[in-house]
Amino acid sequence: MSDQPAKVYLVGAGPGDPGLLTLRAAELLSTADLVLYDGLVNPLLLRLTTGVCERTARTRQGDGSVVPQHEINQRLIEESRAGRTVVRLKGGDPFIFGRGSEELAALEAAGVPVEVVPGITAATAAGEYAGFSFTHRQFASAVAFVTGHEDPTRPASRLDYRALAAFPGTLVFYMGLGRIQSICAELMSHGKPEQTPAAVVCSASLPSQQVVAATLSDLPERAAAAGVHAPSLIIVGECVRQRTGRSWFERGPLFGRTVGITRPDDQCDEVAAKILRLSGQPVLMPLIRITPATEYQCAALDAALQRLPDFGWLVFTSVNGVSSFFDRLWQTGRDQRSVAHMKFAAIGPSTAAALESRSLRPDIVPGEFRAEALAAEMAPYVSGCRILWAGASRGRDVLPQMLTESGAQVEKLVVYNNEDSAALDASVVDRIQSGRLDWIGISSPSIASRLAALADSERLDFAATKTKIASISPVTSRTARESGLTVAAEAVDYTWDGILQAIVRAEVTGAN
């Protein structure tokens, strides 16, 4: 028990798109000891924290019984009194048809310090991501947020449907999909015209977003036929007329598409963000792990660092190689002055950028981001030179072979380990088997081989599930095909940006 209770933060996670999280929420996640999140929170947000993450579902699995709110309140109090900083992460906004106000009251009554961080509520995203404004001045001067799911313990409804039917603006019903027939019927029976525009927006702001627009009288049938599901909002009002086709969000080139990212877990976030900006859904499925050099490897690395004056070139073929080499250089009491006499070669722009972040300009970056091109560009300058290649524990041997043929002496220095992941996550396997993973990007021959091996062990048939493979380069494509995989798209620019561009081209052209 701590002498002073730690602060509890009631934080809005936004409607689903992780880019809509507030800066304050991101700051708190980065420092939290414990994150208690609800079922509507996008799991990608949990990558912002190093704290323990625990889902606090209101419904128990198995028997389907409901977890009383007072149990959640008590858990927050206990964790605070134990000295743990808690972020209670809630979908949308904590107080807009959430239980945040009840949690706040319980915490304050217990003397627990608390802060509330508002979030973008689902209604805001539903309208703006679907393409209509609730208060467009041509259609409405007011908007009303209405619960479609009242407290079942109340003896009577608090909703005045006569007043709602006469409301001079837009109506937005939360949690009302299960009662859509009743809601529409009540509005019409109290005077709302049958031809009033109405819509259901499902999974607002996510790549799985679905919008069904109709008239008030037709909406229940149209929504059922479209198979919409919770979380959804029902919007009633003239503003729905603004939707004349796909919205700005739905016109994203990867809207409705899921893309598997196979690179190491700690390198997925940048690619995931780019997929999201293309209106796609990233699926993290790292197939390799990057681990530090072993004690034995570090001994060899340290010995090589003592011989740096003997080398004329330092070659890097990955961002990991750059960071691992210079981190070790610093740890052994050295800095960039130790390599001031050397020339630098980088296999591509990302590796070059990693060097530049350390105030080092590469002398050679080939136009094609592959070992053959790098060796060819270095060939005229390396005869008689000693070259130090800082790279992974495994990889292709073409670079040292070609440089040796050019008259250079090449020493391979292992600065990090490239290892296979143990297995595919069960959720990823389920996505593939159920046809809910559209693309998998592979960015190295080792990843291609690993994907083929895991697919074989899990008995995954990509052709049957229509999961397509996008490769980073011809070399990776060749390994994939030799391993039994079919490559549907290949990058022109040998980067992850290139993989995404190849997927977009394939989607636009309808490649199978």
Side-chain angles (χ1 to χ4, degrees):
M1 183 74 67
S2 175
D3 292 338
Q4 294 293 329
K7 203 167 194 178
V8 174
Y9 298 89
L10 306 180
V11 178
D17 183 343
L20 299 182
L21 189 74
T22 65
L23 291 175
R24 178 61 173 158
E27 176 189 0
L28 293 173
L29 284 171
S30 71
T31 59
D33 298 315
L34 175 65
V35 178
L36 300 178
Y37 66 99
D38 71 25
L40 294 180
V41 169
N42 191 322
L44 289 174
L45 294 178
L46 303 180
R47 297 177 64 80
L48 298 175
T49 185
T50 57
V52 175
C53 298
E54 181 180 324
R55 181 175 175 179
T56 56
R58 284 271 294 139
T59 302
R60 292 189 175 97
Q61 294 183 352
D63 62 5
S65 60
V66 175
V67 179
Q69 181 63 46
H70 70 80
E71 289 187 14
I72 298 175
N73 298 348
Q74 189 59 34
R75 175 74 187 283
L76 294 173
I77 294 168
E78 291 171 356
E79 295 293 346
S80 168
R81 288 174 173 170
R84 285 183 279 273
T85 300
V86 182
V87 166
R88 173 74 167 119
L89 194 61
K90 303 171 73 69
D93 178 271
F95 285 7
I96 303 295
F97 298 118
R99 310 290 290 268
S101 56
E102 298 172 43
E103 293 168 356
L104 174 65
L107 291 166
E108 289 183 333
V112 171
V114 62
E115 178 182 326
V116 180
V117 180
I120 295 176
T121 187
T124 302
E128 296 178 20
Y129 275 62
F132 37 79
S133 166
F134 297 149
T135 56
H136 189 293
R137 62 181 181 175
Q138 292 183 3
F139 301 109
S141 297
V143 58
F145 293 167
V146 187
T147 181
H149 180 74
E150 294 186 87
D151 185 343
T153 63
R154 290 176 184 163
S157 173
R158 292 183 182 176
L159 295 180
D160 183 343
Y161 274 96
R162 185 175 302 281
L164 290 174
F167 182 73
T170 305
L171 300 174
V172 182
F173 289 85
Y174 282 70
M175 304 171 292
L177 189 61
R179 298 187 60 251
I180 187 171
Q181 185 78 47
S182 173
I183 289 170
C184 293
E186 287 279 6
L187 289 172
M188 289 186 291
S189 68
H190 286 88
K192 201 73 170 174
E194 295 183 359
Q195 297 305 307
T196 302
V200 171
V201 181
C202 169
S203 300
S205 83
L206 293 172
S208 55
Q209 175 175 294
Q210 190 175 1
V211 181
V212 177
T215 62
L216 187 60
S217 61
D218 292 339
L219 188 61
E221 182 179 349
R222 293 278 295 276
V228 295
H229 56 79
S232 294
L233 293 100
I234 302 168
I235 295 118
V236 180
E238 295 297 319
C239 71
V240 175
R241 295 188 189 278
Q242 294 172 82
R243 183 178 171 85
T244 57
R246 293 192 301 165
S247 70
W248 63 271
F249 175 61
E250 296 159 351
R251 287 195 294 270
L254 292 183
F255 177 72
R257 297 291 183 264
T258 48
V259 181
I261 307 173
T262 55
R263 69 189 314 189
D265 183 75
D266 61 352
Q267 298 174 14
C268 287
D269 292 339
E270 182 181 358
V271 178
K274 291 176 179 177
I275 293 170
L276 287 167
R277 299 288 71 81
L278 295 169
S279 298
Q281 176 65 52
V283 177
L284 310 189
M285 48 178 297
L287 298 187
I288 60 173
R289 296 184 301 127
I290 301 300
T291 60
T294 64
E295 184 177 346
Y296 173 79
Q297 290 166 338
C298 283
L301 172 53
D302 293 347
L305 294 179
Q306 294 178 359
R307 296 183 288 109
L308 286 176
D310 298 338
F311 297 93
W313 282 84
L314 189 52
V315 178
F316 296 100
T317 50
S318 70
V319 171
N320 292 313
V322 174
S323 59
S324 298
F325 176 86
F326 284 103
D327 286 351
R328 190 63 183 180
L329 190 72
W330 180 264
Q331 292 163 5
T332 56
R334 302 173 176 87
D335 56 30
Q336 278 90 329
R337 288 173 293 183
S338 300
V339 296
H341 65 288
M342 304 176 78
K343 291 185 180 297
F344 301 93
I347 198 167
S350 296
T351 306
L355 280 171
E356 290 165 0
S357 71
R358 296 175 183 267
S359 300
L360 296 169
R361 299 183 189 277
D363 297 276
I364 290 179
V365 182
E368 293 186 33
F369 317 137
R370 57 194 183 101
E372 290 85 348
L374 179 59
E377 291 213 19
M378 291 181 65
Y381 311 104
V382 298
S383 180
C385 292
R386 297 192 66 183
I387 297 174
L388 191 60
W389 174 25
S393 56
R394 64 181 182 183
R396 300 169 64 225
D397 294 328
V398 64
L399 182 63
Q401 290 174 357
M402 291 183 66
L403 291 175
T404 300
E405 292 171 0
S406 298
Q409 298 179 51
V410 182
E411 182 173 330
K412 172 67 180 293
L413 189 61
V414 175
V415 295
Y416 68 95
N417 290 289
N418 181 319
E419 302 173 352
D420 290 335
S421 61
L424 284 173
D425 186 90
S427 64
V428 174
V429 173
D430 179 64
R431 275 186 173 276
I432 296 172
Q433 290 175 333
S434 61
R436 294 182 294 114
L437 185 58
D438 299 296
W439 288 92
I440 298 175
I442 53 176
S443 53
S444 71
S446 60
I447 287 178
S449 299
R450 185 59 179 157
L451 177 61
L454 290 174
D456 183 63
S457 65
E458 295 285 352
R459 298 183 181 179
L460 299 175
D461 185 347
F462 293 135
T465 62
K466 297 184 179 180
T467 299
K468 298 180 281 293
I469 309 296
S471 165
I472 198 169
S473 68
V475 172
T476 300
S477 297
R478 182 168 64 248
T479 300
R481 294 185 179 107
E482 290 172 352
S483 302
L485 300 176
T486 299
V487 176
E490 184 179 281
V492 175
D493 178 3
Y494 304 154
T495 63
W496 263 96
D497 280 346
I499 291 177
L500 298 182
Q501 291 165 9
I503 292 173
V504 169
R505 285 195 301 271
E507 288 290 337
V508 170
T509 59
N512 296 315

